[in-house]
Amino acid sequence: MKFTECLNDLYNYFFLADPANLSRFKSENNLADNLISEFTQNQSGDIVVEQGVLIPLSGIENYPYIISFQVNNDRSIFNEKQVDLQFKKTGYILEVISKELYLMTVPYLKQWTKNQGIKSLQSNGIKPKIDLENGSYTLEILGGETYQESGWEPTLEFILKKNISNTKFSVEDVGFSFLIKSKEY
């Protein structure tokens, strides 16, 4: 599934998560509504990533992005002819409990309440969002540029595979910058 013109709401982050799982984590850990503050001021930020609840992507410049999701297949848009693959990060896990996965921005996490969190995402028709089976997934994140009709476009691709073998989280650099160096910006 491919989405175009995805923006970062003027913050240098994207977050990948199942909103219901994020709400569960918030409730179980008695976190404040401002999840950005919670995740940056205490150890809950590392724990939420290690437990596969939320994947933060820092270094997201204010460009319109192409976002691609591949689920349970090995096909990648970075296998095409005109691409500039700049990074491939592996070792992430992600748990889905509500058959939905969203790529969110900072403003949604600043006020993560019943009316501002999930409902806000759903009522605003936030894209990119994909529907998929509940369960645990391994996740690879690829980034760089792909050549489109409009020219070179910053691109992020998420390759999700059902975690049948119960692979554990193994990311060495949780704070990795997903900065894409653009040829045209």
Side-chain angles (χ1 to χ4, degrees):
M1 185 167 284
K2 179 176 156 182
F3 300 90
T4 60
E5 300 293 319
C6 300
L7 299 172
N8 67 358
D9 286 341
L10 303 177
Y11 293 88
N12 68 340
Y13 271 91
F14 280 142
F15 300 93
L16 189 63
D18 172 343
N21 199 21
L22 185 55
S23 292
R24 178 201 55 79
F25 182 86
K26 176 188 174 234
S27 176
E28 288 178 1
N29 291 280
N30 297 313
L31 301 179
D33 294 341
N34 186 338
L35 291 179
I36 294 297
S37 291
E38 287 285 349
F39 294 153
T40 57
Q41 295 176 3
N42 65 50
Q43 291 184 332
S44 63
D46 291 338
I47 296 167
V48 75
V49 176
E50 291 168 7
Q51 290 184 5
V53 176
L54 177 121
I55 308 297
L57 292 94
S58 68
I60 303 300
E61 291 292 326
N62 191 29
Y63 308 139
Y65 286 81
I66 291 179
I67 304 295
S68 175
F69 290 93
Q70 302 292 341
V71 180
N72 292 326
N73 73 49
D74 292 321
R75 189 180 160 275
S76 170
I77 61 174
F78 286 100
N79 291 340
E80 304 296 323
K81 290 182 182 178
Q82 289 188 304
V83 298
D84 176 21
L85 178 63
Q86 296 177 18
F87 55 80
K88 178 179 181 179
K89 296 296 289 178
T90 61
Y92 292 98
I93 57 167
L94 198 58
E95 183 182 10
V96 176
I97 65 171
S98 70
K99 298 185 178 183
E100 296 181 319
L101 188 61
Y102 286 82
L103 188 65
M104 300 175 269
T105 57
V106 169
Y108 290 96
L109 298 181
K110 281 186 160 186
Q111 187 64 20
W112 194 260
T113 64
K114 186 175 182 179
N115 292 324
Q116 294 296 320
I118 295 172
K119 286 183 182 179
S120 182
L121 282 170
Q122 293 172 336
S123 66
N124 289 337
I126 295 301
K127 304 290 186 214
K129 172 218 176 238
I130 62 168
D131 298 324
L132 68 163
E133 259 182 59
N134 286 343
S136 177
Y137 291 84
T138 59
L139 173 67
E140 291 182 17
I141 303 171
L142 289 76
E145 291 192 301
T146 56
Y147 194 79
Q148 308 293 317
E149 290 178 16
S150 58
W152 288 97
E153 296 282 345
T155 304
L156 290 169
E157 181 172 44
F158 303 99
I159 299 176
L160 295 122
K161 294 185 181 174
K162 196 74 170 199
N163 192 5
I164 297 169
S165 62
N166 292 319
T167 302
K168 301 294 180 201
F169 175 84
S170 63
V171 174
E172 292 179 16
D173 183 8
V174 174
F176 178 79
S177 174
F178 290 87
L179 176 67
I180 295 173
K181 296 175 184 131
S182 180
K183 297 176 185 300
E184 294 189 3
Y185 292 101

